[in-house]
Amino acid sequence: MKLLRYGPPGQEKPGLLDADGQIRDLSGVVPDPAGEVLSDEGLARLAALDPTTLPMVGGDPRLGPPVAGMKNFVCIGLNYADHAAETGAAIPKEPIVFLKSLGALQGPNDDVEIAPDSVKTDWEVELAVIIGTRAKRVSEADAMAHVAGYAVCNDVSEREWQAERGGTWDKGKGHDTFGPLGPWLVTRDEVPDPQNLSMFCEVDGHRYQDGSTRTMIFGVEKLVSYVSHFITLHPGDVISTGTPPGVGLGQKPPVYLKVGQTIRLGIQGLGEQTQKTVQG
C-alpha cells in the first residue's frame, strides 16, 4: 500500500495510490496518515478498503510529505561504507545520529532553496524509515514491528555550514526545504528486504549517485533499535538512513548545486522525486 498526502502546503489531504497509479481520497476515512493510523492495525484497516470505492483525485495535485504529526526527523551520517570512503572518513563504530529541523520537511517535488550565502549545497538520496508505533529502547529483534514503512528522502546539505562553521552537523542540514520526503509511504509489507534496494540521484540529467542499500553499515533493524535508546520515536517520525557514494562533496573536484538546476532521485519500489533549485 502506498499512502500519500496531497494539496497545498498546510492543507494536505490523505490519499492512497491505487493499482493504476491514480490518487484516491482517504479524507472520508482517516484525517491524516498519522498516529494510530500508522500502526499495524490502522494500516490493516486501510488495506482492507476497496480503492475503487474511494473518490478519485483528478489533475496533478502537489504532493506533500506522506506522513503528518512528525516529532523527530532523525538522520544517520556516514552509514554507507563506500560513501565513507569517498569522503575520507573512517567507518563509524556506532551510528552517527543528528537531527534535521522539522522546518526542513517538505513535499517530494517542492523547490529546494539555495541560500544567498550558500556555497556548498549538496544532494543525498536516502532511504527513510517511517515509524508506525512508539519505540523506546526496543531490541533489534522487535524493531521492525515499530516500522510503518519507507519513503525516499533527499537529505539536502550545506557542506560549508555542516563542516566548516564549527559545532555540530545540524546547521548544515536544517535549512528550509532541505528535507524533501515522499512521494509515498510504502508500507512495510511491500518492502520485504530494505537492505537490497537500488537508488539513484541525478542533477540536470547527470547521474551522480547509483548505489544500493546493500552497502549500508548499520541496517534498518539496528538503526531503529539504536536511535530508540536515545530518542523515543513516535508514529510519523523518520529515520533517514544515510546516502551511497556520489554526493557533490565526493566529486573530484567537488560539485555543488546552483540556482536553476533540476534534481531527480529515487529508490527501487519507493518512487521518485524531482526538485528545482531556486534562490532562497
Side-chain angles (χ1 to χ4, degrees):
M1 188 167 52
K2 296 178 175 67
L3 300 179
L4 54 87
R5 297 169 71 244
Y6 68 94
Q11 302 175 44
E12 292 94 344
K13 295 181 179 181
L16 61 77
L17 202 69
D18 70 17
D20 297 320
Q22 299 293 320
I23 297 176
R24 299 283 180 162
D25 181 23
L26 276 175
S27 58
V29 182
V30 294
D32 237 338
E36 191 274 335
V37 174
L38 298 175
S39 69
D40 284 353
E41 296 77 12
L43 293 175
R45 286 193 290 271
L46 293 182
L49 297 172
D50 179 357
T52 63
T53 65
L54 300 171
M56 185 179 293
V57 178
D60 186 22
R62 168 192 173 267
L63 296 179
V67 290
M70 186 188 300
K71 294 180 182 293
N72 296 293
F73 197 162
V74 182
C75 296
I76 308 299
L78 297 175
N79 192 35
Y80 282 66
D82 36 8
H83 172 55
E86 77 171 343
T87 65
I91 299 296
K93 295 180 180 179
E94 294 190 36
I96 297 173
V97 178
F98 62 92
L99 295 175
K100 205 180 246 306
S101 167
L102 295 183
L105 182 67
Q106 66 168 17
N109 303 316
D110 294 344
D111 293 340
V112 166
E113 294 182 4
I114 308 294
D117 57 341
S118 167
V119 293
K120 296 183 179 180
T121 300
D122 204 347
W123 57 84
E124 292 190 8
V125 59
E126 303 201 358
L127 172 69
V129 179
I130 299 177
I131 301 299
T133 54
R134 184 176 180 269
K136 183 173 184 176
R137 292 192 294 271
V138 301
S139 68
E140 289 184 41
D142 293 335
M144 296 305 288
H146 296 273
V147 173
Y150 305 91
V152 181
C153 181
N154 188 357
D155 176 20
V156 183
S157 309
E158 214 298 345
R159 302 300 189 187
E160 185 196 34
W161 301 353
Q162 176 187 354
E164 301 173 36
R165 299 287 295 273
T168 64
W169 289 8
D170 300 60
K171 67 168 71 78
K173 300 285 192 169
H175 190 270
D176 293 348
T177 77
F178 275 20
L181 186 69
W184 322 299
L185 181 166
V186 180
T187 50
R188 189 176 78 235
D189 59 298
E190 290 198 13
V191 187
D193 185 3
Q195 307 306 150
N196 189 27
L197 301 174
S198 59
M199 54 208 306
F200 75 91
C201 182
E202 299 175 349
V203 179
D204 288 343
H206 179 85
R207 183 160 294 199
Y208 285 97
Q209 292 187 279
D210 196 359
S212 170
T213 57
R214 289 191 302 271
T215 65
M216 284 172 64
I217 299 165
F218 305 106
V220 171
E221 292 180 0
K222 172 68 175 181
L223 293 176
V224 172
S225 172
Y226 185 87
V227 172
S228 79
H229 281 74
F230 304 96
I231 300 168
T232 299
L233 298 168
H234 300 270
D237 283 358
V238 162
I239 302 175
S240 198
T241 58
T243 198
V247 298
L249 175 66
Q251 306 304 308
K252 300 187 187 313
V255 176
Y256 297 110
L257 293 166
K258 300 178 177 63
V259 172
Q261 295 187 298
T262 299
I263 313 166
R264 188 172 76 93
L265 59 149
I267 299 178
Q268 178 184 353
L270 303 185
E272 296 184 3
Q273 305 180 351
T274 301
Q275 296 116 26
K276 300 286 188 182
T277 54
V278 299
Q279 187 66 64

